[in-house]
Amino acid sequence: MRKRHGSYGFDAPWPLVGLFLGAIVLLALAVISFLLDIPVAGIAFLLGGLYTLASAVSYLYTTRRGKFVVWAEELKLLKGDERLLDLGCGRGAVLLMAAERLEHGRATGIDLWRSKDQSGNAESTARANAEAEGVSERVELVTGDMRELPFGDDAFDVIVSSLAIHNIPDAEGRAQAVREAHRVLRPGGLMLIADFQHTDAYEDTLRSLDVVDVRRRDAGWRFWYGGPWFGTRILEARKPIQR
């Protein structure tokens, strides 16, 4: 994977800050406990602090490096001439990696640009990143809701989404986003959704639409947000070709 030139921020930055602050507090309490000659409490706080610090480092690695490595492998499925849509593209981490592979295609990203989901999330930032990566001529950015996509049926060859659909607060809204993704995907087209929540529900929604070529798999330790309990899964599906 080549070096990234854009600025991609941090995914859900406040939980990451909370992990680091929690580790600092626990390690400080460990030091105080040992100074007060309370070794049992000191050991407990020390183990808790180290555990929390390890979770913070895992989270930091994923958001700054790990997810890029995983998506670089997933995007090897592209041939280079596809019309691709990224649902909840944010600052363009996945969108622009895909655009690099689309020498004869085009990548479209859609987002509501909310900074609570990703630090510094803004359309202007995504555009600046596209320029920095040298793919701006292959990229289109759209402000919109993934539950009501402003595109026609069968408009795209590939749909991708990374840690975006779970930000929709209600189950019906998430199901609607998956149905919309299915609607705008051409028959035979590929769908790749990465998320650490609700991927089983996304699969159920697709199967209710008669999609049978569906697989869910673990994305591995590079896509952990603090540990395996916040591991990411990849949902891969192909829209059936109507006969």
Side-chain angles (χ1 to χ4, degrees), residues 218-232:
D218 188 352
W221 66 271
R222 293 182 183 276
F223 225 142
W224 288 355
Y225 282 87
W229 49 90
F230 274 123
T232 302

PDB file of all heavy atoms in Angstrom, residues 218-232:
ATOM      1  N   ASP A 218     -14.502 -11.902   9.141  1.00  0.00           N
ATOM      2  CA  ASP A 218     -13.767 -11.065  10.073  1.00  0.00           C
ATOM      3  C   ASP A 218     -12.665 -10.326   9.321  1.00  0.00           C
ATOM      4  O   ASP A 218     -11.896 -10.922   8.569  1.00  0.00           O
ATOM      5  CB  ASP A 218     -13.158 -11.969  11.155  1.00  0.00           C
ATOM      6  CG  ASP A 218     -12.519 -11.196  12.291  1.00  0.00           C
ATOM      7  OD1 ASP A 218     -12.398  -9.960  12.179  1.00  0.00           O
ATOM      8  OD2 ASP A 218     -12.140 -11.832  13.287  1.00  0.00           O
ATOM      9  N   ALA A 219     -12.572  -9.007   9.536  1.00  0.00           N
ATOM     10  CA  ALA A 219     -11.542  -8.217   8.865  1.00  0.00           C
ATOM     11  C   ALA A 219     -10.179  -8.342   9.529  1.00  0.00           C
ATOM     12  O   ALA A 219      -9.178  -7.869   8.983  1.00  0.00           O
ATOM     13  CB  ALA A 219     -11.956  -6.745   8.832  1.00  0.00           C
ATOM     14  N   GLY A 220     -10.109  -8.964  10.700  1.00  0.00           N
ATOM     15  CA  GLY A 220      -8.830  -9.195  11.353  1.00  0.00           C
ATOM     16  C   GLY A 220      -8.407  -8.088  12.307  1.00  0.00           C
ATOM     17  O   GLY A 220      -9.068  -7.056  12.448  1.00  0.00           O
ATOM     18  N   TRP A 221      -7.251  -8.309  12.951  1.00  0.00           N
ATOM     19  CA  TRP A 221      -6.801  -7.427  14.034  1.00  0.00           C
ATOM     20  C   TRP A 221      -6.477  -6.016  13.560  1.00  0.00           C
ATOM     21  O   TRP A 221      -6.522  -5.078  14.357  1.00  0.00           O
ATOM     22  CB  TRP A 221      -5.581  -8.037  14.721  1.00  0.00           C
ATOM     23  CG  TRP A 221      -4.360  -8.111  13.844  1.00  0.00           C
ATOM     24  CD1 TRP A 221      -4.012  -9.136  13.016  1.00  0.00           C
ATOM     25  CD2 TRP A 221      -3.337  -7.118  13.704  1.00  0.00           C
ATOM     26  NE1 TRP A 221      -2.827  -8.847  12.361  1.00  0.00           N
ATOM     27  CE2 TRP A 221      -2.392  -7.616  12.770  1.00  0.00           C
ATOM     28  CE3 TRP A 221      -3.122  -5.867  14.267  1.00  0.00           C
ATOM     29  CZ2 TRP A 221      -1.259  -6.905  12.387  1.00  0.00           C
ATOM     30  CZ3 TRP A 221      -1.986  -5.143  13.900  1.00  0.00           C
ATOM     31  CH2 TRP A 221      -1.069  -5.657  12.978  1.00  0.00           C
ATOM     32  N   ARG A 222      -6.194  -5.840  12.298  1.00  0.00           N
ATOM     33  CA  ARG A 222      -5.880  -4.499  11.805  1.00  0.00           C
ATOM     34  C   ARG A 222      -7.102  -3.573  11.831  1.00  0.00           C
ATOM     35  O   ARG A 222      -6.953  -2.364  11.682  1.00  0.00           O
ATOM     36  CB  ARG A 222      -5.335  -4.584  10.371  1.00  0.00           C
ATOM     37  CG  ARG A 222      -3.990  -5.259  10.262  1.00  0.00           C
ATOM     38  CD  ARG A 222      -3.510  -5.260   8.822  1.00  0.00           C
ATOM     39  NE  ARG A 222      -2.256  -5.961   8.651  1.00  0.00           N
ATOM     40  CZ  ARG A 222      -1.057  -5.431   8.848  1.00  0.00           C
ATOM     41  NH1 ARG A 222      -0.952  -4.173   9.252  1.00  0.00           N
ATOM     42  NH2 ARG A 222       0.039  -6.134   8.663  1.00  0.00           N
ATOM     43  N   PHE A 223      -8.287  -4.155  11.999  1.00  0.00           N
ATOM     44  CA  PHE A 223      -9.518  -3.365  11.975  1.00  0.00           C
ATOM     45  C   PHE A 223     -10.233  -3.462  13.322  1.00  0.00           C
ATOM     46  O   PHE A 223     -11.449  -3.396  13.401  1.00  0.00           O
ATOM     47  CB  PHE A 223     -10.430  -3.859  10.857  1.00  0.00           C
ATOM     48  CG  PHE A 223     -11.048  -2.756  10.021  1.00  0.00           C
ATOM     49  CD1 PHE A 223     -11.212  -2.917   8.655  1.00  0.00           C
ATOM     50  CD2 PHE A 223     -11.487  -1.586  10.592  1.00  0.00           C
ATOM     51  CE1 PHE A 223     -11.798  -1.926   7.864  1.00  0.00           C
ATOM     52  CE2 PHE A 223     -12.076  -0.589   9.827  1.00  0.00           C
ATOM     53  CZ  PHE A 223     -12.226  -0.761   8.466  1.00  0.00           C
ATOM     54  N   TRP A 224      -9.454  -3.621  14.398  1.00  0.00           N
ATOM     55  CA  TRP A 224     -10.024  -3.611  15.744  1.00  0.00           C
ATOM     56  C   TRP A 224     -10.066  -2.182  16.280  1.00  0.00           C
ATOM     57  O   TRP A 224      -9.080  -1.450  16.204  1.00  0.00           O
ATOM     58  CB  TRP A 224      -9.168  -4.431  16.704  1.00  0.00           C
ATOM     59  CG  TRP A 224      -9.231  -5.912  16.521  1.00  0.00           C
ATOM     60  CD1 TRP A 224     -10.021  -6.612  15.661  1.00  0.00           C
ATOM     61  CD2 TRP A 224      -8.434  -6.873  17.230  1.00  0.00           C
ATOM     62  NE1 TRP A 224      -9.779  -7.955  15.784  1.00  0.00           N
ATOM     63  CE2 TRP A 224      -8.818  -8.148  16.740  1.00  0.00           C
ATOM     64  CE3 TRP A 224      -7.457  -6.782  18.215  1.00  0.00           C
ATOM     65  CZ2 TRP A 224      -8.241  -9.313  17.218  1.00  0.00           C
ATOM     66  CZ3 TRP A 224      -6.883  -7.939  18.693  1.00  0.00           C
ATOM     67  CH2 TRP A 224      -7.271  -9.202  18.202  1.00  0.00           C
ATOM     68  N   TYR A 225     -11.189  -1.792  16.862  1.00  0.00           N
ATOM     69  CA  TYR A 225     -11.287  -0.496  17.530  1.00  0.00           C
ATOM     70  C   TYR A 225     -11.172  -0.707  19.034  1.00  0.00           C
ATOM     71  O   TYR A 225     -12.123  -0.587  19.775  1.00  0.00           O
ATOM     72  CB  TYR A 225     -12.579   0.214  17.140  1.00  0.00           C
ATOM     73  CG  TYR A 225     -12.478   0.829  15.775  1.00  0.00           C
ATOM     74  CD1 TYR A 225     -12.788   0.092  14.634  1.00  0.00           C
ATOM     75  CD2 TYR A 225     -12.012   2.126  15.608  1.00  0.00           C
ATOM     76  CE1 TYR A 225     -12.646   0.638  13.368  1.00  0.00           C
ATOM     77  CE2 TYR A 225     -11.871   2.684  14.340  1.00  0.00           C
ATOM     78  CZ  TYR A 225     -12.189   1.931  13.242  1.00  0.00           C
ATOM     79  OH  TYR A 225     -12.044   2.475  11.983  1.00  0.00           O
ATOM     80  N   GLY A 226      -9.968  -1.073  19.445  1.00  0.00           N
ATOM     81  CA  GLY A 226      -9.691  -1.284  20.857  1.00  0.00           C
ATOM     82  C   GLY A 226      -9.463  -2.731  21.223  1.00  0.00           C
ATOM     83  O   GLY A 226      -8.872  -3.031  22.252  1.00  0.00           O
ATOM     84  N   GLY A 227      -9.935  -3.654  20.423  1.00  0.00           N
ATOM     85  CA  GLY A 227      -9.777  -5.075  20.705  1.00  0.00           C
ATOM     86  C   GLY A 227     -10.776  -5.880  19.909  1.00  0.00           C
ATOM     87  O   GLY A 227     -11.616  -5.321  19.191  1.00  0.00           O
ATOM     88  N   PRO A 228     -10.732  -7.209  20.014  1.00  0.00           N
ATOM     89  CA  PRO A 228     -11.622  -8.056  19.214  1.00  0.00           C
ATOM     90  C   PRO A 228     -13.098  -7.850  19.504  1.00  0.00           C
ATOM     91  O   PRO A 228     -13.948  -8.153  18.660  1.00  0.00           O
ATOM     92  CB  PRO A 228     -11.177  -9.482  19.575  1.00  0.00           C
ATOM     93  CG  PRO A 228     -10.449  -9.337  20.883  1.00  0.00           C
ATOM     94  CD  PRO A 228      -9.822  -7.989  20.858  1.00  0.00           C
ATOM     95  N   TRP A 229     -13.422  -7.332  20.681  1.00  0.00           N
ATOM     96  CA  TRP A 229     -14.825  -7.046  21.009  1.00  0.00           C
ATOM     97  C   TRP A 229     -15.374  -5.892  20.183  1.00  0.00           C
ATOM     98  O   TRP A 229     -16.581  -5.732  20.078  1.00  0.00           O
ATOM     99  CB  TRP A 229     -14.961  -6.729  22.502  1.00  0.00           C
ATOM    100  CG  TRP A 229     -13.961  -5.725  22.972  1.00  0.00           C
ATOM    101  CD1 TRP A 229     -14.090  -4.368  23.002  1.00  0.00           C
ATOM    102  CD2 TRP A 229     -12.653  -5.998  23.452  1.00  0.00           C
ATOM    103  NE1 TRP A 229     -12.950  -3.777  23.463  1.00  0.00           N
ATOM    104  CE2 TRP A 229     -12.038  -4.756  23.759  1.00  0.00           C
ATOM    105  CE3 TRP A 229     -11.921  -7.167  23.655  1.00  0.00           C
ATOM    106  CZ2 TRP A 229     -10.745  -4.658  24.242  1.00  0.00           C
ATOM    107  CZ3 TRP A 229     -10.631  -7.062  24.150  1.00  0.00           C
ATOM    108  CH2 TRP A 229     -10.054  -5.824  24.433  1.00  0.00           C
ATOM    109  N   PHE A 230     -14.506  -5.091  19.560  1.00  0.00           N
ATOM    110  CA  PHE A 230     -14.906  -4.071  18.599  1.00  0.00           C
ATOM    111  C   PHE A 230     -14.226  -4.338  17.267  1.00  0.00           C
ATOM    112  O   PHE A 230     -13.732  -3.428  16.608  1.00  0.00           O
ATOM    113  CB  PHE A 230     -14.588  -2.659  19.108  1.00  0.00           C
ATOM    114  CG  PHE A 230     -15.668  -2.071  19.970  1.00  0.00           C
ATOM    115  CD1 PHE A 230     -15.381  -1.643  21.253  1.00  0.00           C
ATOM    116  CD2 PHE A 230     -16.969  -1.958  19.503  1.00  0.00           C
ATOM    117  CE1 PHE A 230     -16.378  -1.101  22.065  1.00  0.00           C
ATOM    118  CE2 PHE A 230     -17.970  -1.415  20.298  1.00  0.00           C
ATOM    119  CZ  PHE A 230     -17.675  -0.987  21.580  1.00  0.00           C
ATOM    120  N   GLY A 231     -14.222  -5.615  16.895  1.00  0.00           N
ATOM    121  CA  GLY A 231     -13.663  -5.997  15.609  1.00  0.00           C
ATOM    122  C   GLY A 231     -14.624  -5.682  14.474  1.00  0.00           C
ATOM    123  O   GLY A 231     -15.843  -5.629  14.661  1.00  0.00           O
ATOM    124  N   THR A 232     -14.071  -5.455  13.307  1.00  0.00           N
ATOM    125  CA  THR A 232     -14.862  -5.109  12.122  1.00  0.00           C
ATOM    126  C   THR A 232     -15.095  -6.355  11.284  1.00  0.00           C
ATOM    127  O   THR A 232     -14.223  -7.211  11.169  1.00  0.00           O
ATOM    128  CB  THR A 232     -14.125  -4.052  11.279  1.00  0.00           C
ATOM    129  OG1 THR A 232     -13.899  -2.901  12.103  1.00  0.00           O
ATOM    130  CG2 THR A 232     -14.924  -3.656  10.054  1.00  0.00           C
TER     131      THR A 232
END
